[in-house]
Amino acid sequence: MKVYGVTGWKNAGKTGLMERLVAEITGRGLRVSTVKHAHHSTDVDQPGRDSHRHREAGAQEVMLASPHRWALMHELRGADEPPLEELLARLSPVDLVLVEGFKRDHHPKIEAHRAETAKPLLAGENPSVRAVAADTPQPGCALPVFDLDDTGAIADFILREVGL
């Protein structure tokens, strides 16, 4: 599977870009999966639901299945967060996996950047960033710079980068 990331500071437009890229690339007939990293505690389950009660009782994994989707929840129970490679190995094969976050991992990435965040580009300090998608010009940036809203051009760049 080909892997490409979208990284950037909080509120830089990563999730919106991911959403548009998934729609654009799947619209071209490719199969796409995503991995989203959260720095905070998050829960896809709801207290009081049967699956939540299973987890609270101590189950290591709980699979929730319905006619429309299934989800596997794995409790770390004090173990270290698994590395991206281990998480990717759990995915079914697709043409491309888009990864949001994991800015310190070594897979190729495009950086989402909004001027309003008042943060510097990560691209200068992170060699895995291959391009920048920004809402303002980035003079002096040695990498390709795309308009943050030019999803088609960004998708073209990513697909060329991974050979699809």
Side-chain angles (χ1 to χ4, degrees), residues 7 30 36 38 41-42 44-45 50 59 71 75 91-92 103 105 121 129 132 153 160:
T7 193
L30 296 170
K36 161 75 173 124
S41 179
T42 187
V44 297
D45 208 1
D50 293 349
E75 293 296 314
L91 293 175
S92 298
K103 68 178 69 153
D105 284 62
L121 287 176
V129 174
V132 174
R160 271 194 313 273

PDB file of all heavy atoms in Angstrom, residues 7 30 36 38 41-42 44-45 50 59 71 75 91-92 103 105 121 129 132 153 160:
ATOM      1  N   THR A   7       0.106  16.818   7.257  1.00  0.00           N
ATOM      2  CA  THR A   7       0.549  17.240   8.572  1.00  0.00           C
ATOM      3  C   THR A   7       0.389  18.741   8.707  1.00  0.00           C
ATOM      4  O   THR A   7       0.037  19.422   7.748  1.00  0.00           O
ATOM      5  CB  THR A   7       2.006  16.798   8.829  1.00  0.00           C
ATOM      6  OG1 THR A   7       2.314  16.939  10.211  1.00  0.00           O
ATOM      7  CG2 THR A   7       3.001  17.572   7.987  1.00  0.00           C
ATOM      8  N   LEU A  30      -9.777   5.292  -7.311  1.00  0.00           N
ATOM      9  CA  LEU A  30      -8.812   4.613  -6.447  1.00  0.00           C
ATOM     10  C   LEU A  30      -9.442   4.329  -5.087  1.00  0.00           C
ATOM     11  O   LEU A  30     -10.327   5.053  -4.630  1.00  0.00           O
ATOM     12  CB  LEU A  30      -7.559   5.471  -6.275  1.00  0.00           C
ATOM     13  CG  LEU A  30      -6.758   5.720  -7.553  1.00  0.00           C
ATOM     14  CD1 LEU A  30      -5.686   6.763  -7.328  1.00  0.00           C
ATOM     15  CD2 LEU A  30      -6.133   4.422  -8.049  1.00  0.00           C
ATOM     16  N   LYS A  36      -5.993   8.570  11.299  1.00  0.00           N
ATOM     17  CA  LYS A  36      -5.994   9.872  11.951  1.00  0.00           C
ATOM     18  C   LYS A  36      -5.369   9.726  13.335  1.00  0.00           C
ATOM     19  O   LYS A  36      -5.798   8.881  14.115  1.00  0.00           O
ATOM     20  CB  LYS A  36      -7.442  10.385  12.067  1.00  0.00           C
ATOM     21  CG  LYS A  36      -7.690  11.478  13.088  1.00  0.00           C
ATOM     22  CD  LYS A  36      -7.179  12.816  12.648  1.00  0.00           C
ATOM     23  CE  LYS A  36      -7.602  13.915  13.615  1.00  0.00           C
ATOM     24  NZ  LYS A  36      -6.512  14.661  14.149  1.00  0.00           N
ATOM     25  N   ALA A  38      -4.672  11.221  17.027  1.00  0.00           N
ATOM     26  CA  ALA A  38      -5.195  12.186  18.001  1.00  0.00           C
ATOM     27  C   ALA A  38      -4.242  12.232  19.180  1.00  0.00           C
ATOM     28  O   ALA A  38      -3.864  11.195  19.716  1.00  0.00           O
ATOM     29  CB  ALA A  38      -6.590  11.770  18.465  1.00  0.00           C
ATOM     30  N   SER A  41      -7.108  12.081  24.423  1.00  0.00           N
ATOM     31  CA  SER A  41      -7.888  10.866  24.611  1.00  0.00           C
ATOM     32  C   SER A  41      -9.159  10.974  23.794  1.00  0.00           C
ATOM     33  O   SER A  41      -9.836  11.995  23.810  1.00  0.00           O
ATOM     34  CB  SER A  41      -8.224  10.694  26.092  1.00  0.00           C
ATOM     35  OG  SER A  41      -8.991   9.548  26.279  1.00  0.00           O
ATOM     36  N   THR A  42      -9.467   9.943  23.056  1.00  0.00           N
ATOM     37  CA  THR A  42     -10.661   9.948  22.227  1.00  0.00           C
ATOM     38  C   THR A  42     -11.371   8.613  22.357  1.00  0.00           C
ATOM     39  O   THR A  42     -10.744   7.603  22.683  1.00  0.00           O
ATOM     40  CB  THR A  42     -10.313  10.261  20.754  1.00  0.00           C
ATOM     41  OG1 THR A  42     -11.515  10.407  20.016  1.00  0.00           O
ATOM     42  CG2 THR A  42      -9.469   9.174  20.131  1.00  0.00           C
ATOM     43  N   VAL A  44     -14.519   6.273  20.420  1.00  0.00           N
ATOM     44  CA  VAL A  44     -15.542   6.124  19.387  1.00  0.00           C
ATOM     45  C   VAL A  44     -16.786   5.451  19.948  1.00  0.00           C
ATOM     46  O   VAL A  44     -17.799   5.351  19.276  1.00  0.00           O
ATOM     47  CB  VAL A  44     -15.026   5.316  18.174  1.00  0.00           C
ATOM     48  CG1 VAL A  44     -13.874   6.046  17.505  1.00  0.00           C
ATOM     49  CG2 VAL A  44     -14.600   3.923  18.581  1.00  0.00           C
ATOM     50  N   ASP A  45     -16.729   5.018  21.168  1.00  0.00           N
ATOM     51  CA  ASP A  45     -17.813   4.292  21.817  1.00  0.00           C
ATOM     52  C   ASP A  45     -18.547   5.218  22.779  1.00  0.00           C
ATOM     53  O   ASP A  45     -18.016   6.251  23.182  1.00  0.00           O
ATOM     54  CB  ASP A  45     -17.204   3.108  22.583  1.00  0.00           C
ATOM     55  CG  ASP A  45     -18.145   1.942  22.734  1.00  0.00           C
ATOM     56  OD1 ASP A  45     -19.279   2.006  22.234  1.00  0.00           O
ATOM     57  OD2 ASP A  45     -17.743   0.960  23.370  1.00  0.00           O
ATOM     58  N   ASP A  50     -23.801  -1.379  24.810  1.00  0.00           N
ATOM     59  CA  ASP A  50     -23.333  -2.728  25.123  1.00  0.00           C
ATOM     60  C   ASP A  50     -21.832  -2.876  24.878  1.00  0.00           C
ATOM     61  O   ASP A  50     -21.104  -3.442  25.706  1.00  0.00           O
ATOM     62  CB  ASP A  50     -24.083  -3.770  24.296  1.00  0.00           C
ATOM     63  CG  ASP A  50     -25.549  -3.860  24.663  1.00  0.00           C
ATOM     64  OD1 ASP A  50     -25.950  -3.267  25.686  1.00  0.00           O
ATOM     65  OD2 ASP A  50     -26.288  -4.536  23.929  1.00  0.00           O
ATOM     66  N   ALA A  59     -12.568  -6.312  28.409  1.00  0.00           N
ATOM     67  CA  ALA A  59     -12.224  -6.922  27.118  1.00  0.00           C
ATOM     68  C   ALA A  59     -11.032  -6.206  26.486  1.00  0.00           C
ATOM     69  O   ALA A  59     -10.956  -4.981  26.516  1.00  0.00           O
ATOM     70  CB  ALA A  59     -13.415  -6.876  26.168  1.00  0.00           C
ATOM     71  N   ALA A  71     -16.495  -2.006  13.426  1.00  0.00           N
ATOM     72  CA  ALA A  71     -15.387  -1.282  14.050  1.00  0.00           C
ATOM     73  C   ALA A  71     -14.741  -2.180  15.091  1.00  0.00           C
ATOM     74  O   ALA A  71     -15.432  -2.897  15.821  1.00  0.00           O
ATOM     75  CB  ALA A  71     -15.898  -0.010  14.724  1.00  0.00           C
ATOM     76  N   GLU A  75      -8.165  -1.951  23.304  1.00  0.00           N
ATOM     77  CA  GLU A  75      -7.757  -1.244  24.517  1.00  0.00           C
ATOM     78  C   GLU A  75      -6.265  -1.462  24.759  1.00  0.00           C
ATOM     79  O   GLU A  75      -5.799  -2.605  24.775  1.00  0.00           O
ATOM     80  CB  GLU A  75      -8.551  -1.755  25.720  1.00  0.00           C
ATOM     81  CG  GLU A  75     -10.022  -1.423  25.667  1.00  0.00           C
ATOM     82  CD  GLU A  75     -10.277   0.073  25.703  1.00  0.00           C
ATOM     83  OE1 GLU A  75      -9.678   0.786  26.525  1.00  0.00           O
ATOM     84  OE2 GLU A  75     -11.104   0.521  24.887  1.00  0.00           O
ATOM     85  N   LEU A  91      -4.758  -2.572   8.423  1.00  0.00           N
ATOM     86  CA  LEU A  91      -5.707  -2.143   7.410  1.00  0.00           C
ATOM     87  C   LEU A  91      -5.822  -3.157   6.274  1.00  0.00           C
ATOM     88  O   LEU A  91      -4.849  -3.823   5.934  1.00  0.00           O
ATOM     89  CB  LEU A  91      -5.280  -0.795   6.817  1.00  0.00           C
ATOM     90  CG  LEU A  91      -5.324   0.415   7.737  1.00  0.00           C
ATOM     91  CD1 LEU A  91      -4.757   1.636   7.015  1.00  0.00           C
ATOM     92  CD2 LEU A  91      -6.741   0.688   8.200  1.00  0.00           C
ATOM     93  N   SER A  92      -6.988  -3.229   5.690  1.00  0.00           N
ATOM     94  CA  SER A  92      -7.172  -4.022   4.472  1.00  0.00           C
ATOM     95  C   SER A  92      -6.440  -3.321   3.330  1.00  0.00           C
ATOM     96  O   SER A  92      -6.320  -2.090   3.324  1.00  0.00           O
ATOM     97  CB  SER A  92      -8.661  -4.125   4.129  1.00  0.00           C
ATOM     98  OG  SER A  92      -9.356  -4.783   5.156  1.00  0.00           O
ATOM     99  N   LYS A 103       3.294  13.632  12.538  1.00  0.00           N
ATOM    100  CA  LYS A 103       4.233  14.534  11.877  1.00  0.00           C
ATOM    101  C   LYS A 103       5.689  14.127  12.046  1.00  0.00           C
ATOM    102  O   LYS A 103       6.523  14.482  11.229  1.00  0.00           O
ATOM    103  CB  LYS A 103       4.005  15.979  12.322  1.00  0.00           C
ATOM    104  CG  LYS A 103       4.340  16.293  13.752  1.00  0.00           C
ATOM    105  CD  LYS A 103       4.136  17.763  14.096  1.00  0.00           C
ATOM    106  CE  LYS A 103       2.699  18.093  14.099  1.00  0.00           C
ATOM    107  NZ  LYS A 103       2.341  19.211  14.980  1.00  0.00           N
ATOM    108  N   ASP A 105       6.814  10.957  12.019  1.00  0.00           N
ATOM    109  CA  ASP A 105       7.108   9.726  11.290  1.00  0.00           C
ATOM    110  C   ASP A 105       7.733  10.075   9.940  1.00  0.00           C
ATOM    111  O   ASP A 105       7.663  11.214   9.483  1.00  0.00           O
ATOM    112  CB  ASP A 105       5.838   8.890  11.115  1.00  0.00           C
ATOM    113  CG  ASP A 105       5.459   8.178  12.400  1.00  0.00           C
ATOM    114  OD1 ASP A 105       5.183   8.873  13.388  1.00  0.00           O
ATOM    115  OD2 ASP A 105       5.464   6.947  12.413  1.00  0.00           O
ATOM    116  N   LEU A 121       6.391  27.255   9.297  1.00  0.00           N
ATOM    117  CA  LEU A 121       6.268  26.014   8.538  1.00  0.00           C
ATOM    118  C   LEU A 121       7.066  24.901   9.211  1.00  0.00           C
ATOM    119  O   LEU A 121       8.169  25.127   9.704  1.00  0.00           O
ATOM    120  CB  LEU A 121       6.794  26.195   7.113  1.00  0.00           C
ATOM    121  CG  LEU A 121       5.951  27.007   6.152  1.00  0.00           C
ATOM    122  CD1 LEU A 121       6.679  27.166   4.818  1.00  0.00           C
ATOM    123  CD2 LEU A 121       4.593  26.356   5.939  1.00  0.00           C
ATOM    124  N   VAL A 129       8.453  16.303   4.799  1.00  0.00           N
ATOM    125  CA  VAL A 129       7.478  17.188   4.159  1.00  0.00           C
ATOM    126  C   VAL A 129       7.964  17.478   2.751  1.00  0.00           C
ATOM    127  O   VAL A 129       9.061  18.002   2.557  1.00  0.00           O
ATOM    128  CB  VAL A 129       7.285  18.494   4.967  1.00  0.00           C
ATOM    129  CG1 VAL A 129       6.368  19.459   4.211  1.00  0.00           C
ATOM    130  CG2 VAL A 129       6.708  18.188   6.345  1.00  0.00           C
ATOM    131  N   VAL A 132       3.906  22.068   0.416  1.00  0.00           N
ATOM    132  CA  VAL A 132       3.100  22.853   1.347  1.00  0.00           C
ATOM    133  C   VAL A 132       1.806  23.234   0.642  1.00  0.00           C
ATOM    134  O   VAL A 132       1.817  23.629  -0.530  1.00  0.00           O
ATOM    135  CB  VAL A 132       3.862  24.121   1.801  1.00  0.00           C
ATOM    136  CG1 VAL A 132       2.984  25.012   2.661  1.00  0.00           C
ATOM    137  CG2 VAL A 132       5.142  23.734   2.540  1.00  0.00           C
ATOM    138  N   ALA A 153      -4.922  19.801  -7.791  1.00  0.00           N
ATOM    139  CA  ALA A 153      -3.470  19.897  -7.979  1.00  0.00           C
ATOM    140  C   ALA A 153      -2.731  19.166  -6.861  1.00  0.00           C
ATOM    141  O   ALA A 153      -1.708  18.506  -7.108  1.00  0.00           O
ATOM    142  CB  ALA A 153      -3.031  21.356  -8.049  1.00  0.00           C
ATOM    143  N   ARG A 160       1.379  11.443  -8.089  1.00  0.00           N
ATOM    144  CA  ARG A 160       2.683  11.345  -8.793  1.00  0.00           C
ATOM    145  C   ARG A 160       3.770  10.885  -7.831  1.00  0.00           C
ATOM    146  O   ARG A 160       4.593  10.037  -8.150  1.00  0.00           O
ATOM    147  CB  ARG A 160       3.075  12.695  -9.382  1.00  0.00           C
ATOM    148  CG  ARG A 160       2.568  12.948 -10.769  1.00  0.00           C
ATOM    149  CD  ARG A 160       3.241  14.141 -11.445  1.00  0.00           C
ATOM    150  NE  ARG A 160       3.328  15.344 -10.636  1.00  0.00           N
ATOM    151  CZ  ARG A 160       2.383  16.274 -10.544  1.00  0.00           C
ATOM    152  NH1 ARG A 160       1.255  16.127 -11.201  1.00  0.00           N
ATOM    153  NH2 ARG A 160       2.566  17.331  -9.797  1.00  0.00           N
TER     154      ARG A 160
END
